[in-house]
Amino acid sequence: MPLPSHVTPAHGHSFSSPAPGLDSFRDHRDVASFAPAALGYALFATRWLQAPLYFGLVAAQGVYVYKFFNELWKLIVHVINGHADETYVMLAVLKLVDVVMIANLLIMTIVGGYETFVSRINLQGHRDQPEWLSHVNSNVLKVKLATAIVGISSVHLLQMFVDVHHTSQHALLWGTAIHMAFIVSAGILAYMSGPMLEPRKSGHECGGHAGGGHAGGGHADSHGEGNLQLIPKPSTGAHDDATSSGRATPSASVATSAPAPASSLGGSGAESRIRAAGFPAPKALEDFDHDYPRSLDREAVAMLGKLHFITAKENVVLLGPPGTGKTHLAVAFGTRACQAGHQVLFATVAEWVARLADAKAAGRLTEELARLDRYPLLIVDALGYFPLQVEEAQLIFRLVAHRYERGSLIVTSDKPLTSWDLVLSDAAVASAVIDRLVHHSEIISVEGDNYRMRDHGGFGFTAPAVR
């Protein structure tokens, strides 16, 4: 099957349209519904009033740069002239450290605040993008700022103790009390921003950050309203390039689940997102044996591990014979996304087909696909281990077409793209799926011997090559 040479966006979809005029409304009810929407857009646009404030902080950052080099020059002059004893040098260095920590606090406020409250900063692919920026939100920013303030307070307190002979006991006591107050405040803030305030409902695991899309000039974190969702049950078997004789048993169930606030941070919040994702087993990029495959683009894998593809709403396609680690990589990327605050769902092709078929039978396929928009990353595992019926292939197409430029997909397959017409039972459907899947994607080919069979000599089987 020839691969598509170009991509044509799905017809009938438009992400923006001019605001309707009053003459386009048929009655007063249309006018009434338009007015609140226009007011909401106008209020949302006022966020740009904050932009000059952040540029003002940039100027303050310049002031601290001047102050740093001014203090550094004074220290150098005193050392050269022999007027600097050990205490003076230590105090001068602590003052420099203090200036740097305040500058760090400023840059976090400038970049994180602008990203959170004004507009997304598109740094996809930038090698110097800060690690924390990929999952920043208002609560992450507050906790980081609180810990930075504790660090600055620690430096100030240390300066007082170093210069204890020139510091009154009253100042030391108050300095210590204020520092402890900062520590307690930061601890309380971290507690309130973490998973301990998530709704605890029996039998439900909550997800975290629902990926802020930035279409139409705005961005928002999804907070969910407790709608019914189809959540795949975590599998008890090993899915790593899962083998199947016939149909795999779908494991999808209906559960009432309210996604947790986007404030879920690290620790238990990340763990709850990982559990809710339905991964078959814990996997990490650090545990992947990069030397075992005969062919693997390790630089591409490392870049994908930074998760820029999720914020860019791009896809990842992992191709290779069974046992070469495709599912390991997919789960590792998904786990890292959960740790970064994103919601993720993992399921095999059979499970996704069962899920969508149930939704279609209930007459709510469109609604189910819309619910999946809350998840910045969906993982479709083991495409190609058994051929799909035409109706099943069409459901996979609906999923891929709906996610196109809306959210990210990771797809693993033991079949090359040129054989997907056999997997999807229809050349036209296969072409349409590939067209949308690979337009914005990174295709990783993993070639090598079956890792699980490395100690058994392969029993005479040879893995097919992926081209």
Side-chain angles (χ1 to χ4, degrees):
M1 179 190 71
L3 293 179
S5 59
H6 65 281
V7 174
T8 302
H11 298 292
H13 296 282
S14 177
F15 293 97
S16 63
S17 59
L22 293 180
D23 56 350
S24 66
F25 294 100
R26 295 184 179 179
D27 53 43
H28 68 280
R29 290 176 299 178
D30 293 325
V31 177
S33 63
F34 173 72
L39 180 61
Y41 278 111
L43 290 175
F44 185 59
T46 62
R47 72 193 189 280
W48 289 103
L49 293 175
Q50 291 193 35
L53 305 183
Y54 293 107
F55 286 102
L57 290 178
V58 172
Q61 181 102 328
V63 171
Y64 270 96
V65 171
Y66 168 79
K67 182 176 177 60
F68 177 89
F69 285 103
N70 187 42
E71 294 293 338
L72 180 61
W73 177 250
K74 288 181 181 179
L75 173 61
I76 293 173
V77 170
H78 278 72
V79 170
I80 292 175
N81 294 334
H83 298 153
D85 57 11
E86 183 178 353
T87 300
Y88 178 86
V89 172
M90 187 177 299
L91 288 172
V93 170
L94 286 175
K95 189 176 292 186
L96 294 176
V97 172
D98 185 30
V99 172
V100 171
M101 293 185 71
I102 294 177
N104 290 341
L105 179 64
L106 273 174
I107 199 66
M108 278 194 294
T109 304
I110 294 168
V111 178
Y114 186 91
E115 166 87 7
T116 303
F117 300 109
V118 180
S119 179
R120 295 285 185 186
I121 301 176
N122 187 8
L123 295 179
Q124 282 77 30
H126 197 293
R127 62 181 182 180
D128 294 329
Q129 178 178 344
E131 177 274 333
W132 52 269
L133 188 59
S134 64
H135 53 276
V136 70
N137 56 53
S138 59
N139 285 283
V140 172
L141 188 60
K142 285 188 291 186
V143 173
K144 286 187 177 292
L145 294 180
T147 54
I149 291 172
V150 170
I152 294 170
S153 175
S154 301
V155 173
H156 281 207
L157 190 61
L158 182 56
Q159 285 177 305
M160 297 172 67
F161 278 106
V162 170
D163 197 24
V164 68
H165 298 296
H166 298 89
T167 307
S168 66
Q169 184 177 5
H170 181 268
L172 283 175
L173 288 175
W174 272 108
T176 303
I178 292 172
H179 179 64
M180 294 304 299
F182 282 142
I183 292 176
V184 172
S185 299
I188 293 174
L189 183 60
Y191 177 91
M192 294 176 65
S193 299
M196 298 181 183
L197 289 188
E198 293 178 3
R200 297 190 177 275
K201 298 183 179 182
S202 174
H204 305 310
E205 291 295 339
C206 295
H209 182 59
H214 188 47
H219 68 280
D221 291 322
S222 175
H223 289 274
E225 291 81 28
N227 296 326
L228 287 177
Q229 300 179 51
L230 283 170
I231 304 297
K233 296 178 181 177
S235 171
T236 57
H239 277 263
D240 190 16
D241 298 331
T243 56
S244 172
S245 57
R247 293 282 189 268
T249 302
S251 58
S253 63
V254 179
T256 303
S257 174
S263 58
S264 299
L265 305 173
S268 299
E271 292 171 4
S272 68
R273 287 189 290 273
I274 291 171
R275 288 194 296 270
F279 298 128
K283 300 290 182 182
L285 282 180
E286 294 76 12
D287 298 331
F288 185 77
D289 187 353
H290 289 79
D291 296 327
Y292 188 80
R294 288 193 298 269
S295 174
L296 176 65
D297 189 341
R298 292 163 181 80
E299 289 187 4
V301 171
M303 182 59 68
L304 291 172
K306 296 181 180 180
L307 307 179
H308 301 318
F309 73 95
I310 296 179
T311 52
K313 298 179 176 62
E314 296 176 347
N315 305 317
V316 178
V317 181
L318 297 165
L319 303 173
T324 51
K326 302 183 299 297
T327 302
H328 184 132
L329 289 174
V331 172
F333 293 143
T335 300
R336 186 165 288 190
C338 290
Q339 293 167 343
H342 298 297
Q343 285 182 292
V344 180
L345 282 183
F346 174 100
T348 63
V349 170
E351 292 166 342
W352 281 116
V353 166
R355 173 186 185 134
L356 298 176
D358 289 344
K360 182 179 180 181
R364 49 179 176 77
L365 178 58
T366 301
E367 290 79 0
E368 178 62 19
L369 291 171
R371 288 192 185 103
L372 292 175
D373 290 342
R374 298 177 181 177
Y375 298 87
L377 177 61
L378 302 180
I379 301 177
V380 181
D381 191 40
L383 178 67
Y385 282 92
F386 51 83
L388 299 176
Q389 301 297 325
V390 174
E391 296 80 3
E392 296 172 332
Q394 290 173 350
L395 291 173
I396 294 297
F397 167 74
R398 287 290 301 273
L399 176 64
V400 173
H402 183 82
R403 296 289 291 184
Y404 179 66
E405 296 184 337
R406 274 196 183 100
S408 296
L409 285 168
I410 294 180
V411 178
T412 73
S413 177
D414 70 326
K415 298 292 190 297
L417 296 177
T418 51
S419 298
W420 280 22
D421 56 339
L422 302 177
V423 175
L424 298 174
S425 302
D426 185 283
V429 172
S431 179
V433 168
I434 295 172
D435 186 55
R436 288 162 177 79
L437 187 63
V438 307
H439 180 208
H440 306 295
S441 72
E442 182 73 41
I443 302 177
I444 302 294
S445 178
V446 189
E447 298 183 13
D449 299 323
N450 191 313
Y451 188 82
R452 292 185 291 268
M453 301 298 293
R454 65 191 183 281
D455 297 327
H456 303 284
F459 290 98
F461 291 98
T462 302
V466 175
R467 303 185 186 278

